[in-house]
Amino acid sequence: MATATSHQSIVSFASHRSSSSSSSTISQCLLREPLLNLPISKGFKIHSSLSCNNHTTSKKRNLCKIKAVASSQTETSVSSYNNNTFLSPSKNIPDLSKKKSNEAALILIRHGESLWNEKNLFTGCVDVPLTEKGVEEAIEAGKRISNIPVDVIFTSSLIRAQMTAMLAMIQHRRKKVPIILHDESEQAKTWSQVFSDETKNQSIPVIPAWQLNERMYGELQGLNKQETAERYGKEQVHEWRRSYDIPPPKGESLEMCAERAVAYFQDNIEPKLAAGKNVMIAAHGNSLRSIIMYLDKLTCQEVISLELSTGIPLLYIFKEGKFMKRGSPVGPTEAGVYAYTKSLAQYRQKLEEDSEVICS
Amino acid sequence: MATTTMSHQAIGSIVSHNRPFKASLFQKEPLNVPMKLSPKRFKIEAAASSQVIDNTVLSSPSKNKPFESKKKSNEAALILIRHGESLWNEKNLFTGCVDVPLTQKGVGEAIEAGKKISNIPVDLIFTSSLIRAQMTAMLAMTQHRRKKVPIILHNESVKAKTWSHVFSEETRKQSIPVIAAWQLNERMYGELQGLNKKETAERYGTEQVHEWRRSYEIPPPKGESLEMCAERAVAYFEDNIKPELASGNNVMIAAHGNSLRSIIMYLDDLTSQEVTTLDLSTGIPLLYIFKDGKFMKRGSPVGPTEAGVYAYTKRLAQYREKLDEASLN
């Protein structure tokens, strides 16, 4: 069944500043944690006096959880960054001792306008940079996810996705620094080594992977829409662009793109999530919708009509082996998305506390 | 020779002469040929023959003829840009070759740099393999008035080459190849990478650290000395960049403090003493003109409205005029 599943809808929640009873509708719909009976207000703190009256034991758990989240993030980064085995994570046992949380955030961001989008040329895997508009889209995307924890970043090997990730992270409230890992040669590995444990703790590894590249468009790369229609005929071009399994000459079909993108996701990204690491993926229209097809179990028909907005981050929560779509965070002031899970809410609170400490 | 603190902070400005420049085709003719007056309609000549984005040619430019057929001009512009603030600059950590991105300020510096060189022709861009230099180049180019699109070449594998192939002649003509080279990376700081200045002083002693940072030939443990950095940066420049300039291609290099001052040492014939005191401003582009085998320092372009720098050579002035005409149409 072909449904135009558009991820353009921005899921927004009215912030309830009133009593806990009104927030219970949200909690009923989405939330399973008792903590989320709390009224959702801007600078909310987890007070013992608040309405977790049925779950007194959870209070203690909450406090422990905050610490665990804080320390786990540092430890996780150290071990993963220390070993070069980080680069083949599937071969290692995820470090369950790090994080007691059994859930993780997954952020997907599609890069914005590139210089060839502007010129209406088929881009594919040609490494074309962002326009000014694309730069702004990246910055805007960053503002929306500025409070969602990020432990590891995956990008494609193309500059427009990498720049999108780096520009987005400039807006992030965390203090950690993204560092792009290099393993193209022995020298590249050695030369990029970090010699301070503390610094490693404060780093977010960024892993570029060609498997997350845009769909390779073969002989259409560099052609404009008109040129292409003239060369091959409109019908044929439409078929290449919109079919699932028919590749343009010397190019990839969406199916082929999905194959390598999803395989990469399963081998390298999903284990991270399973280990409780929060992941951001900055990539392209086709590689991302391939992944969404996997996350949401879409059919081929559904994925063909799936349009992913540029620059609007998509949030998923990975919990107990399942992916739950959580829409698009609308910004740092919107408390809604942090009500999704306890750990996100605690993370947000920790950021608030940190910034208060610094100010005082 | 006395140690002079040669700071490239000086912005060379030349009073603009309101001499009207004659319109002419933007053909790369040698300057000793009298320029012909021609109608305003101009064509960009058969640069097609140069197959600018043919990866097999570009991936090892030193082994191939640079795009000679393209340009007859015997002069070319060389722009050097040092990237701006990175996230570890902000934290006061030794960065070296750790691939740390720009801060918001660094992004702003790149865009400002771009505005200053928006009218200087760029045919080819070289960067290091580190994101802060690459982003600086790409952000700067968003400000450029040309219509051409920078495209990063990939030759890390056969697949990477094949996958990034461009299939339209016309599109290739409208492209500026961007070549990422580790030889233009920042000086590799070995065991100091990731340490803060305090940690380092504690671990090794202030004197020792000062020596590593300021000497010419003493490397930090497992790292490069400035001399070693200069060796690979200048060799790369001579083998890959100079031939391009020699055939009239205008080049931009976006790189790092140490790799750039190594190149400047070569361009300006500095001594090792002089280069250790050379401090290159971040985000302020430096312009050189390469002509008849010589490099002439031309200061820092101050911005698109400053006609001065374009008065340096007739060709640059004509390029500027062509851009003006293009935007009027």
Side-chain angles (χ1 to χ4, degrees):
Chain A
M1 137 177 76
T3 44
T5 329
S6 164
H7 279 249
Q8 294 213 25
S9 60
I10 294 173
V11 181
S12 63
F13 290 87
S15 59
H16 295 265
R17 287 192 162 70
S18 54
S19 67
S20 50
S21 56
S22 53
S23 66
S24 60
T25 28
I26 296 176
S27 56
Q28 274 158 20
C29 294
L30 293 166
L31 314 166
R32 294 166 190 77
E33 307 292 337
L35 179 64
L36 297 156
N37 288 326
L38 295 173
I40 302 159
S41 62
K42 220 173 185 176
F44 72 87
K45 288 204 197 300
I46 302 170
H47 287 304
S48 53
S49 58
L50 289 174
S51 61
C52 292
N53 40 18
N54 297 334
H55 308 270
T56 42
T57 49
S58 66
K59 279 184 284 179
K60 289 190 193 139
R61 244 195 316 131
N62 295 344
L63 292 171
C64 294
K65 207 97 188 260
I66 293 173
K67 277 192 218 143
V69 166
S71 58
S72 68
Q73 286 184 346
T74 57
E75 285 172 82
T76 326
S77 319
V78 171
S79 68
S80 59
Y81 199 67
N82 258 332
N83 319 331
N84 271 339
T85 50
F86 182 79
L87 298 164
S88 40
S90 54
K91 302 203 176 78
N92 296 292
I93 303 166
D95 246 319
L96 295 168
S97 54
K98 302 303 170 216
K99 260 197 150 123
K100 300 257 163 40
S101 167
N102 62 346
E103 65 177 53
L106 171 64
I107 301 168
L108 308 180
I109 302 183
R110 179 186 183 184
H111 71 78
E113 190 188 65
S114 81
L115 283 164
W116 276 12
N117 291 149
E118 207 184 33
K119 294 189 162 208
N120 223 12
L121 302 176
F122 287 117
T123 312
C125 287
V126 184
D127 203 351
V128 177
L130 299 170
T131 59
E132 218 163 352
K133 180 179 174 207
V135 168
E136 279 159 28
E137 290 182 82
I139 291 172
E140 275 313 301
K143 288 179 183 161
R144 290 170 189 260
I145 50 124
S146 59
N147 287 329
I148 302 179
V150 176
D151 299 312
V152 62
I153 298 172
F154 288 87
T155 72
S156 72
S157 61
L158 305 173
I159 193 82
R160 55 199 190 266
Q162 295 177 4
M163 277 180 75
T164 294
M166 299 300 98
L167 290 164
M169 291 307 286
I170 289 175
Q171 310 305 316
H172 208 268
R173 282 176 71 182
R174 92 284 163 272
K175 302 286 183 291
K176 293 189 181 183
V177 175
I179 294 181
I180 297 182
L181 300 191
H182 283 264
D183 64 335
E184 53 269 23
S185 66
E186 274 308 306
Q187 168 164 289
K189 261 190 250 190
T190 319
W191 276 35
S192 55
Q193 236 191 325
V194 177
F195 281 87
S196 157
D197 274 346
E198 195 191 319
T199 304
K200 276 191 277 229
N201 292 352
Q202 293 300 309
S203 305
I204 299 170
V206 181
I207 301 162
W210 67 263
Q211 294 90 332
L212 296 173
N213 277 10
E214 182 50 292
R215 175 180 160 202
M216 207 277 277
Y217 248 64
E219 286 183 358
L220 302 192
Q221 292 186 161
L223 272 56
N224 64 40
K225 314 278 155 87
Q226 196 203 346
E227 239 178 323
T228 324
E230 280 169 9
R231 207 181 281 196
Y232 299 102
K234 275 197 190 145
E235 294 269 327
Q236 176 70 96
V237 176
H238 183 84
E239 190 182 51
W240 287 325
R241 296 185 74 189
R242 296 290 163 250
S243 82
Y244 183 67
D245 51 4
I246 303 170
K250 297 206 178 113
E252 285 186 307
S253 61
L254 178 49
E255 182 177 30
M256 291 156 76
C257 171
E259 203 184 313
R260 40 102 169 157
V262 174
Y264 186 85
F265 181 88
Q266 289 177 305
D267 290 345
N268 300 281
I269 303 179
E270 206 171 332
K272 295 278 159 208
L273 295 163
K277 297 229 190 89
N278 302 292
V279 175
M280 175 205 285
I281 305 177
H284 309 262
N286 284 300
S287 50
L288 284 175
R289 62 186 185 155
S290 302
I291 288 170
I292 290 169
M293 179 169 87
Y294 169 73
L295 303 178
D296 291 353
K297 293 205 188 36
L298 303 178
T299 65
C300 309
Q301 279 286 67
E302 287 171 320
V303 78
I304 292 167
S305 41
L306 179 63
E307 275 297 320
L308 194 57
S309 302
T310 57
I312 305 209
L314 262 197
L315 175 67
Y316 282 79
I317 302 294
F318 179 80
K319 187 169 172 175
E320 283 153 13
K322 293 202 190 72
F323 289 97
M324 300 174 290
K325 187 160 63 187
R326 284 287 175 258
S328 304
V330 288
T333 55
E334 180 54 61
V337 72
Y338 307 104
Y340 289 134
T341 70
K342 189 192 293 187
S343 81
L344 276 184
Q346 286 162 353
Y347 180 81
R348 165 81 185 262
Q349 192 199 23
K350 177 175 152 323
L351 284 174
E352 304 268 348
E353 285 167 3
D354 282 352
S355 51
E356 282 168 23
V357 166
I358 288 159
C359 295
S360 59
Chain B
M1 178 144 22
T3 310
T4 45
T5 310
M6 298 180 57
S7 166
H8 278 250
Q9 294 213 24
I11 295 172
S13 63
I14 293 183
V15 176
S16 62
H17 299 270
N18 285 328
R19 225 186 304 138
F21 291 102
K22 303 235 158 86
S24 83
L25 293 175
F26 184 49
Q27 292 203 37
K28 287 83 172 178
E29 295 169 53
L31 288 175
N32 49 11
V33 169
M35 302 305 298
K36 294 181 241 188
L37 274 178
S38 320
K40 282 196 176 176
R41 233 181 314 122
F42 53 81
K43 281 184 289 205
I44 296 179
E45 276 311 295
S49 54
S50 65
Q51 295 229 341
V52 170
I53 310 284
D54 186 338
N55 290 352
T56 52
V57 173
L58 282 170
S59 54
S60 40
S62 57
K63 302 198 177 85
N64 299 288
K65 270 193 252 159
F67 319 124
E68 293 174 80
S69 48
K70 193 172 153 193
K71 273 185 144 135
K72 299 242 166 45
S73 166
N74 63 345
E75 72 173 52
L78 170 64
I79 301 168
L80 307 180
I81 303 183
R82 179 186 182 185
H83 71 78
E85 189 186 65
S86 81
L87 284 163
W88 276 12
N89 291 151
E90 208 185 31
K91 294 189 161 206
N92 224 11
L93 303 176
F94 287 116
T95 313
C97 288
V98 184
D99 203 352
V100 176
L102 299 170
T103 58
Q104 183 116 265
K105 180 176 175 209
V107 168
E109 289 181 84
I111 290 172
E112 278 311 302
K115 289 180 182 160
K116 290 177 195 269
I117 50 126
S118 61
N119 288 327
I120 302 180
V122 176
D123 299 309
L124 203 51
I125 297 172
F126 288 87
T127 73
S128 72
S129 61
L130 304 173
I131 193 85
R132 55 197 189 266
Q134 295 175 4
M135 276 180 75
T136 294
M138 298 300 98
L139 290 164
M141 291 307 284
T142 60
Q143 308 303 311
H144 207 267
R145 285 177 67 183
R146 91 285 164 272
K147 300 286 184 292
K148 294 191 182 186
V149 176
I151 294 180
I152 297 181
L153 301 191
H154 282 266
N155 56 11
E156 52 269 23
S157 65
V158 177
K159 171 187 233 165
K161 260 189 248 193
T162 319
W163 276 37
S164 54
H165 200 75
V166 177
F167 281 85
S168 158
E169 192 73 27
E170 195 190 319
T171 303
R172 273 196 291 255
K173 282 189 236 169
Q174 292 301 312
S175 305
I176 299 169
V178 181
I179 298 161
W182 68 263
Q183 294 90 332
L184 296 173
N185 277 10
E186 182 49 293
R187 176 178 157 204
M188 208 276 278
Y189 250 64
E191 287 183 359
L192 302 193
Q193 293 186 162
L195 272 57
N196 63 41
K197 313 277 155 88
K198 183 170 167 244
E199 238 178 324
T200 324
E202 280 168 9
R203 205 181 283 197
Y204 300 101
T206 335
E207 295 267 327
Q208 174 70 95
V209 177
H210 183 84
E211 189 182 51
W212 287 326
R213 295 186 74 189
R214 296 289 163 250
S215 83
Y216 183 66
E217 73 277 356
I218 303 172
K222 297 207 178 114
E224 284 186 308
S225 60
L226 178 49
E227 181 177 32
M228 292 157 75
C229 171
E231 203 183 313
R232 41 102 169 158
V234 173
Y236 186 85
F237 180 88
E238 283 181 301
D239 290 345
N240 301 282
I241 304 180
K242 200 168 165 188
E244 298 297 343
L245 293 163
S247 36
N249 282 312
N250 301 294
V251 173
M252 176 205 284
I253 305 176
H256 309 261
N258 283 300
S259 50
L260 283 176
R261 61 185 185 155
S262 301
I263 289 169
I264 290 169
M265 178 170 86
Y266 170 79
L267 302 179
D268 290 352
D269 258 318
L270 303 177
T271 65
S272 47
Q273 275 285 64
E274 288 172 318
V275 77
T276 53
T277 47
L278 179 62
D279 212 0
L280 194 56
S281 303
T282 57
I284 304 208
L286 262 196
L287 176 66
Y288 282 79
I289 302 292
F290 179 77
K291 187 172 172 174
D292 298 327
K294 292 202 193 69
F295 289 96
M296 299 175 293
K297 189 160 58 184
R298 283 286 175 259
S300 303
V302 287
T305 54
E306 177 57 57
V309 72
Y310 307 105
Y312 289 134
T313 69
K314 186 190 295 188
R315 204 169 129 276
L316 276 183
Q318 285 161 354
Y319 182 80
R320 165 80 185 264
E321 194 190 31
K322 174 176 149 321
L323 284 173
D324 284 339
E325 287 167 3
S327 58
L328 286 175
N329 291 343

